[in-house]
Amino acid sequence: MSWRVPLFKIYWDEDDIQGMSKAISSGMNWAVGPEVDALEGEISRFIGSPYCLTFNSGTSALHSALLAHGIGAGDEVIVPSFTFISTANAPIFVGARPVFGDIEEQTFGLDPEDVAERINSRTKAIIPIHYGGCPCRIRELKELAEDHHLILIEDAAESFGADIDGRKVGTFGDSAMLSFCQNKVITTGEGGAVVTYSEELYGRMRMLRSHGRLETSDYFSSGEILDYVALGFNFRMSNLIATLGRSQLKKAETIIAMRRKNAAYLNKMIGAFKEIDLPIPPAGYNHVYQMYTISIDNRDQLMDHIARMGVMTKIYFSPVHMTTFYRDELKYRCHLPVTERVSNRVLTLPMYPHLSQEELNLIVRGIEEFLEVSSRG
């Protein structure tokens, strides 16, 4: 279907095109090269974490982080069910068991009180997500992890650039995963990264992403025989993609400001409707609005109504524990009342930096018309 207002559009400019054209026409370093190292350094400085390693996807990044942290068979990892499925799948990749925790209703992140009740002798780590661009209650989760000597890995896939009182998400945990998939704040089409304070963890992941190889030199530009010291994967980000990432990163603050401006307008206009709960973060929590998600009781009917006007919406997220794989194959039976209640009410509206005034007004008009019709019964 061709939407008048799609859920997202990628923000790009001539710098992206020129950078990619230069990288391609070099005729060298399409796989690995200096742009990767440069991007990693720039992400480190932007986030405020000393080490960064890029990957070919956020999922690969999270998979590698779990391996580097030594999480494996017999371990339990507390994760939300209200997330994209890779958050839950990553522990299974390394032989561990995901344990689903419930969420709280302001940030849609893991509820620290619920997490505390799920910790036992097998618990090795907690992986909270920062939902849709809003930081979760990461400070409380960090304190909980420290009290129980657990690893804390932030899933910041949706919240690049978000912060709490000026401290960026990704700097609270032992490590954090970032995603640069096409709908994210900045994008390389596909891609991801891990940031960490640990040089040791950085070294392990560096080997893991390149088949367990000790990278003492550039594999493709050196005749040196490089040793393989562990089992690894081909999880690298290419030099071409890193070129695009660097160009996108230069625009990150502008992109975030544009998203916040659009969200502020929607908050102002939709805030007049008492039937709708808005994505308003706690004080000091600075949202980047990678997604703009409202909550409403008759969500499905609203979704259908504005779809007929050409406005795309999407449900982020249906609970992972209720998917066929987890319910039928893995036999999960979970009591997550907040997750299930929230997932039945959320609806993500279109959000991208260059939403036009006409597009914004169409979204608002669609909601207003729906509520008027609903009120008449």
Side-chain angles (χ1 to χ4, degrees):
M1 179 174 180
S2 179
W3 298 98
R4 292 177 66 186
V5 187
L7 193 66
F8 72 93
K9 290 180 183 177
I10 295 170
Y11 186 82
W12 59 272
D13 59 20
E14 285 301 316
D15 288 342
D16 296 329
I17 295 172
Q18 290 174 13
M20 289 296 287
S21 178
K22 182 179 178 181
I24 291 169
S25 62
S26 71
M28 293 290 293
N29 300 320
W30 282 20
V32 298
E35 295 295 310
V36 174
D37 292 337
L39 175 61
E40 290 170 349
E42 289 162 5
I43 292 171
S44 287
R45 289 187 288 276
F46 184 88
I47 297 295
S49 185
Y51 299 100
C52 172
L53 206 65
T54 54
F55 292 84
N56 57 10
S57 72
T59 302
S60 298
L62 188 56
H63 184 177
S64 298
L66 285 164
L67 287 170
H69 278 293
I71 296 169
D75 295 330
E76 292 186 353
V77 180
I78 298 175
V79 302
S81 178
F82 191 69
T83 183
F84 183 61
I85 199 166
S86 65
T87 313
N89 284 352
I92 298 176
F93 294 162
V94 301
R97 175 179 171 81
V99 173
F100 292 114
D102 213 349
I103 59 173
E104 42 82 21
E105 293 191 66
Q106 188 168 19
T107 73
F108 294 161
L110 279 175
D111 182 346
E113 293 181 4
D114 184 84
V115 170
E117 295 178 0
R118 299 177 191 274
I119 295 171
N120 59 47
S121 60
R122 296 179 299 279
T123 308
K124 185 71 172 288
I126 305 170
I127 307 179
I129 75 160
H130 301 287
Y131 174 86
C134 182
C136 70
R137 290 171 58 186
I138 192 64
R139 291 178 293 194
E140 295 95 322
L141 291 166
K142 178 178 176 64
E143 183 177 349
L144 188 63
E146 290 174 345
D147 289 345
H148 292 271
H149 307 289
L150 301 176
I151 296 163
L152 181 64
I153 303 173
E154 297 175 68
D155 183 334
E158 300 168 0
S159 297
F160 186 85
D163 70 83
I164 301 176
D165 295 326
R167 181 175 176 180
K168 290 217 172 33
V169 301
T171 63
F172 293 88
D174 297 286
S175 62
M177 179 270 279
L178 310 170
S179 172
F180 308 126
C181 191
Q182 65 176 353
N183 62 332
K184 300 303 192 292
V185 173
I186 65 169
T187 180
T188 55
E190 287 283 6
V194 173
V195 291
T196 182
Y197 290 99
S198 170
E199 183 178 9
E200 181 181 1
L201 196 70
Y202 168 81
R204 289 177 193 161
M205 288 188 294
R206 192 173 176 85
M207 286 190 296
L208 285 166
R209 73 171 181 180
S210 293
H211 300 286
R213 184 169 60 229
L214 275 177
E215 293 191 322
T216 54
S217 63
D218 183 341
Y219 178 84
F220 293 100
S221 302
S222 170
E224 180 184 351
I225 297 175
L226 303 178
D227 196 12
Y228 295 82
V229 298
L231 182 66
F233 303 86
N234 184 1
F235 281 167
R236 296 186 306 270
M237 174 182 282
S238 76
N239 199 59
L240 289 178
I241 293 303
T243 301
L244 181 57
R246 294 188 70 195
S247 178
Q248 285 273 301
L249 184 55
K250 290 175 183 176
K251 297 182 278 287
E253 295 290 3
T254 298
I255 288 170
I256 290 169
M258 294 169 75
R259 286 179 174 275
R260 285 174 172 159
K261 181 180 178 181
N262 291 336
Y265 182 80
L266 290 175
N267 286 344
K268 177 183 176 182
M269 301 305 291
I270 300 173
F273 308 132
K274 66 181 186 303
E275 298 91 342
I276 294 177
D277 295 327
L278 301 175
I280 305 297
Y285 284 52
N286 292 304
H287 205 311
V288 295
Y289 295 99
Q290 189 262 310
M291 300 190 302
Y292 185 90
T293 300
I294 62 171
S295 299
I296 182 170
D297 286 338
N298 45 356
R299 181 266 314 280
D300 294 348
Q301 292 87 344
L302 172 59
M303 189 177 188
D304 291 342
H305 179 85
I306 60 178
R308 289 193 292 271
M309 299 175 67
V311 177
M312 182 182 177
T313 60
K314 195 173 179 72
I315 297 168
Y316 284 114
F317 292 100
S318 296
V320 173
H321 74 277
M322 298 177 73
T323 61
T324 298
F325 177 62
Y326 278 84
R327 185 188 64 241
D328 295 350
E329 296 295 323
L330 300 183
K331 308 301 181 184
Y332 271 76
R333 300 292 182 269
C334 302
H335 180 61
L336 302 170
V338 180
T339 293
E340 293 179 21
R341 181 169 66 250
V342 165
S343 67
N344 285 327
R345 300 185 72 239
V346 291
L347 186 64
T348 296
L349 304 180
M351 175 54 63
Y352 41 92
H354 45 309
L355 266 167
S356 70
Q357 194 64 51
E358 180 183 358
E359 290 171 328
L360 286 164
N361 289 338
L362 182 60
I363 295 167
V364 174
R365 187 167 72 250
I367 293 171
E368 184 175 21
E369 288 179 0
F370 171 75
L371 292 175
E372 287 177 355
V373 171
S374 298
S375 69
R376 295 197 295 266

